[in-house]
Amino acid sequence: MAIKIFIVDAFTDQLFKGNTAAVCLPSQWPDVEIMQNIALENNLSETVFAVKEDDGYRLRWFTPTTEVDLCGHATLAASHVIFSLLEPENENLKFYSKSGDLAVSRQSDLYLLDFPAWPPAPLNEPPLLAAALGAEPLAVYQSRDLLALFRNQDEVTSIQPDLSLLKQIPYLGVIVTAQGQDVDFVSRFFAPRVGVDEDPVTGSAHCSLIPFWSKRLNKDHLTARQLSPRGGELSCVHKRDRVLIGGHAIMYSQGEILL
């Protein structure tokens, strides 16, 4: 079996920025073990597999160590490949996933991901969190991930986590966030429990960040930046139980996996 594979930088319009994802387009579903081995071989934060189904595509996302239920930047990367090469006349895509139906539309070169909103709820601070982050948050919240609120952007930038301690916190990932200096909010995302020490740009984390900051800032349209070394920019809209996450993407390479 030969599987087409594309490497895409998501949430950026520049090569070597944003978050890199591998997009695989098999004609039929490989075994789960094969998909996991491909993701491990790619050694990127996410590898997405997309197979045509009905009037859309079914997506499955894998880190180097495990399958996850939702990934924003890999969905953006898959959309870029499909819009560019498979359905250049289309303006809207439908995806099926473990997180329900997802939609992606394009406006010129901007892609808008229609994802579920995951408003985080207040939580008593886990005992290891401050030690794991090397800093004391103002407050802590939970949804799929743990969200730690800090006083300002500089505190978020300066965090140097102890990844061995973060692995002991029982959430898929840990988001650190603060109000931004020239954007509405900034964030970083750590997920060593699933093989991703620091994710460059995390679309799924914004399923929690957007409703959190929308309520806090009393606005539905927001701008965001993820402060990883590669960095990424996101345009955000809160729509009750959904969020729109906007970003750009650029293709780095394409080829084939030979199995």
Side-chain angles (χ1 to χ4, degrees), residues 6-23 44 73-74 76-78 80-81 111 200-201 230-231 247-253:
F6 306 85
I7 307 299
V8 177
D9 289 337
F11 292 114
T12 182
D13 57 4
Q14 302 176 58
L15 285 175
F16 316 120
K17 300 289 186 181
N19 202 355
T20 307
V23 180
L44 298 169
H73 84 277
L76 179 57
H80 180 63
V81 171
Y111 301 100
V201 193
R230 289 175 64 99
H248 298 86
I250 184 168
M251 196 177 302
Y252 170 68
S253 68

Coordinates of all heavy atoms in Angstrom, one line a residue, residues 6-23 44 73-74 76-78 80-81 111 200-201 230-231 247-253:
F6 N 1.6 14.5 3.1 CA 1.9 16.0 2.9 C 2.3 16.5 4.3 O 1.7 16.2 5.3 CB 0.7 16.7 2.4 CG 0.1 16.1 1.2 CD1 -0.8 15.1 1.3 CD2 0.4 16.6 -0.1 CE1 -1.4 14.5 0.1 CE2 -0.1 16.0 -1.2 CZ -1.0 15.0 -1.1
I7 N 3.3 17.4 4.3 CA 3.8 18.1 5.5 C 3.4 19.5 5.3 O 3.7 20.2 4.4 CB 5.3 18.0 5.7 CG1 5.7 16.5 5.7 CG2 5.7 18.6 7.0 CD1 5.1 15.6 6.7
V8 N 2.6 20.0 6.3 CA 2.0 21.4 6.2 C 2.3 22.1 7.5 O 2.2 21.6 8.6 CB 0.5 21.3 6.0 CG1 -0.2 22.7 6.0 CG2 0.1 20.5 4.7
D9 N 2.7 23.4 7.4 CA 2.8 24.3 8.5 C 1.5 25.1 8.7 O 1.0 25.7 7.7 CB 4.0 25.3 8.3 CG 5.3 24.7 8.3 OD1 5.4 23.6 9.0 OD2 6.3 25.2 7.8
A10 N 0.9 24.9 9.8 CA -0.5 25.4 10.1 C -0.4 26.6 11.0 O 0.5 26.7 11.9 CB -1.4 24.3 10.6
F11 N -1.4 27.5 10.9 CA -1.6 28.7 11.7 C -0.4 29.6 11.4 O 0.1 30.3 12.3 CB -1.7 28.4 13.2 CG -3.0 27.8 13.5 CD1 -3.1 26.5 14.0 CD2 -4.2 28.5 13.3 CE1 -4.3 25.9 14.3 CE2 -5.5 27.9 13.6 CZ -5.5 26.6 14.1
T12 N 0.0 29.7 10.2 CA 1.0 30.6 9.7 C 1.0 30.6 8.2 O 0.4 29.7 7.5 CB 2.4 30.1 10.1 OG1 3.4 31.0 9.7 CG2 2.8 28.7 9.5
D13 N 1.5 31.7 7.6 CA 1.6 31.8 6.1 C 3.1 31.8 5.7 O 3.4 32.1 4.6 CB 0.9 33.0 5.6 CG 1.4 34.3 6.2 OD1 2.4 34.3 7.0 OD2 0.9 35.4 5.9
Q14 N 4.0 31.4 6.7 CA 5.4 31.3 6.4 C 5.9 29.9 6.7 O 5.6 29.3 7.7 CB 6.2 32.3 7.3 CG 5.8 33.7 7.1 CD 6.5 34.6 8.1 OE1 7.7 34.7 8.1 NE2 5.8 35.3 9.0
L15 N 6.8 29.4 5.8 CA 7.4 28.1 6.1 C 8.3 28.2 7.4 O 8.8 29.3 7.7 CB 8.3 27.7 4.9 CG 7.6 27.2 3.7 CD1 8.6 26.9 2.6 CD2 6.8 25.9 4.0
F16 N 8.4 27.1 8.1 CA 9.2 27.0 9.3 C 8.6 27.8 10.5 O 9.3 28.0 11.5 CB 10.6 27.4 9.0 CG 11.2 26.8 7.8 CD1 11.7 27.6 6.8 CD2 11.2 25.4 7.6 CE1 12.2 27.1 5.6 CE2 11.8 24.9 6.4 CZ 12.2 25.8 5.4
K17 N 7.3 28.2 10.4 CA 6.6 28.8 11.5 C 5.4 28.0 11.8 O 5.1 27.0 11.1 CB 6.3 30.3 11.1 CG 7.4 31.2 10.8 CD 8.3 31.5 12.1 CE 9.4 32.5 11.8 NZ 10.2 32.7 13.0
G18 N 4.6 28.4 12.8 CA 3.4 27.8 13.1 C 3.6 26.4 13.6 O 4.6 26.0 14.2
N19 N 2.6 25.5 13.4 CA 2.7 24.1 13.9 C 2.6 23.1 12.7 O 1.8 23.2 11.8 CB 1.5 23.8 14.8 CG 1.8 22.6 15.7 OD1 2.8 22.0 15.6 ND2 0.9 22.4 16.7
T20 N 3.6 22.2 12.6 CA 3.7 21.3 11.5 C 2.9 20.1 11.8 O 2.9 19.5 12.9 CB 5.2 20.9 11.3 OG1 6.0 22.1 11.2 CG2 5.3 20.1 10.1
A21 N 2.1 19.6 10.7 CA 1.4 18.4 10.8 C 1.6 17.6 9.6 O 1.9 18.1 8.5 CB -0.1 18.7 10.9
A22 N 1.6 16.3 9.7 CA 1.6 15.4 8.6 C 0.1 15.0 8.2 O -0.7 14.7 9.1 CB 2.4 14.1 8.9
V23 N -0.2 15.1 6.9 CA -1.5 14.7 6.4 C -1.4 13.5 5.6 O -0.7 13.5 4.5 CB -2.1 15.9 5.6 CG1 -3.5 15.5 5.1 CG2 -2.2 17.1 6.5
L44 N 6.2 14.1 14.5 CA 5.6 15.5 14.6 C 4.5 15.4 15.7 O 4.0 14.4 16.1 CB 4.9 15.9 13.3 CG 5.9 16.0 12.1 CD1 5.1 16.1 10.8 CD2 6.8 17.2 12.3
H73 N -4.7 22.1 14.6 CA -3.7 22.4 13.5 C -3.7 21.3 12.5 O -3.5 21.6 11.3 CB -2.4 22.7 14.1 CG -1.5 21.6 14.4 ND1 -1.6 20.8 15.5 CD2 -0.5 21.0 13.6 CE1 -0.7 19.9 15.5 NE2 0.0 20.0 14.4
A74 N -3.8 20.1 12.8 CA -3.8 19.0 11.9 C -5.1 19.0 11.0 O -5.1 18.7 9.8 CB -3.7 17.6 12.5
L76 N -6.6 21.8 10.2 CA -6.3 22.9 9.3 C -5.4 22.5 8.2 O -5.6 22.8 7.0 CB -5.7 24.1 10.1 CG -5.3 25.3 9.4 CD1 -6.4 25.9 8.6 CD2 -4.7 26.3 10.3
A77 N -4.4 21.7 8.6 CA -3.5 21.2 7.6 C -4.2 20.3 6.5 O -3.9 20.4 5.3 CB -2.3 20.4 8.2
A78 N -5.0 19.4 7.0 CA -5.8 18.5 6.1 C -6.7 19.3 5.2 O -6.8 19.0 4.0 CB -6.6 17.5 6.9
H80 N -6.2 22.4 4.2 CA -5.3 23.0 3.2 C -5.0 22.0 2.0 O -5.1 22.4 0.8 CB -4.1 23.5 3.8 CG -3.1 24.2 2.9 ND1 -3.4 25.4 2.3 CD2 -1.8 23.9 2.5 CE1 -2.4 25.8 1.5 NE2 -1.5 24.8 1.6
V81 N -4.7 20.8 2.3 CA -4.4 19.8 1.3 C -5.6 19.5 0.5 O -5.5 19.5 -0.8 CB -3.8 18.5 2.0 CG1 -3.7 17.4 0.9 CG2 -2.5 18.8 2.6
Y111 N -8.5 30.0 6.6 CA -9.4 28.8 6.9 C -10.1 29.0 8.2 O -9.4 29.5 9.2 CB -8.6 27.5 6.9 CG -7.9 27.2 5.6 CD1 -6.5 27.5 5.5 CD2 -8.6 26.7 4.5 CE1 -5.9 27.2 4.3 CE2 -7.9 26.4 3.3 CZ -6.6 26.7 3.2 OH -5.9 26.4 2.0
P200 N 3.6 23.7 19.3 CA 3.8 25.1 18.8 C 2.5 25.9 18.7 O 2.5 27.1 19.1 CB 4.4 24.8 17.4 CG 5.1 23.5 17.5 CD 4.2 22.7 18.4
V201 N 1.4 25.4 18.1 CA 0.2 26.1 18.1 C -0.9 25.0 18.2 O -0.9 24.1 17.4 CB 0.0 26.9 16.7 CG1 -1.2 27.8 16.9 CG2 1.2 27.6 16.3
R230 N 8.2 28.7 17.7 CA 7.7 28.8 16.3 C 6.6 29.9 16.2 O 6.5 30.6 15.2 CB 7.3 27.5 15.7 CG 8.4 26.5 15.5 CD 7.8 25.2 15.0 NE 7.2 25.3 13.7 CZ 7.7 25.0 12.5 NH1 9.0 24.5 12.5 NH2 7.0 25.1 11.4
G231 N 5.8 29.9 17.2 CA 4.7 30.9 17.2 C 3.6 30.7 16.3 O 3.7 29.9 15.3
G247 N -7.1 30.5 10.7 CA -5.7 30.6 10.5 C -5.3 30.3 9.0 O -6.1 29.9 8.2
H248 N -4.0 30.5 8.7 CA -3.5 30.2 7.4 C -2.7 28.9 7.5 O -2.4 28.3 8.5 CB -2.6 31.3 7.0 CG -3.3 32.6 6.8 ND1 -3.5 33.5 7.9 CD2 -3.9 33.2 5.8 CE1 -4.1 34.6 7.5 NE2 -4.4 34.4 6.2
A249 N -2.3 28.4 6.3 CA -1.4 27.2 6.2 C -0.6 27.3 4.9 O -1.0 27.9 3.9 CB -2.3 25.9 6.2
I250 N 0.5 26.6 5.0 CA 1.4 26.5 3.8 C 2.0 25.1 3.7 O 2.4 24.6 4.8 CB 2.5 27.6 3.9 CG1 3.3 27.7 2.6 CG2 3.3 27.5 5.1 CD1 4.2 28.9 2.5
M251 N 2.1 24.6 2.5 CA 2.6 23.2 2.3 C 4.1 23.2 2.2 O 4.7 24.0 1.5 CB 2.0 22.6 1.1 CG 2.2 21.1 1.1 SD 1.4 20.3 -0.4 CE -0.3 20.8 -0.1
Y252 N 4.8 22.3 3.0 CA 6.2 22.2 3.0 C 6.7 21.1 2.0 O 7.6 21.3 1.3 CB 6.7 21.9 4.4 CG 8.1 21.5 4.5 CD1 9.2 22.4 4.2 CD2 8.5 20.2 4.9 CE1 10.5 22.1 4.3 CE2 9.8 19.9 5.0 CZ 10.8 20.8 4.7 OH 12.1 20.4 4.8
S253 N 6.0 19.9 2.0 CA 6.5 18.8 1.2 C 5.3 17.9 0.9 O 4.3 17.9 1.6 CB 7.7 18.1 1.8 OG 7.2 17.4 3.0

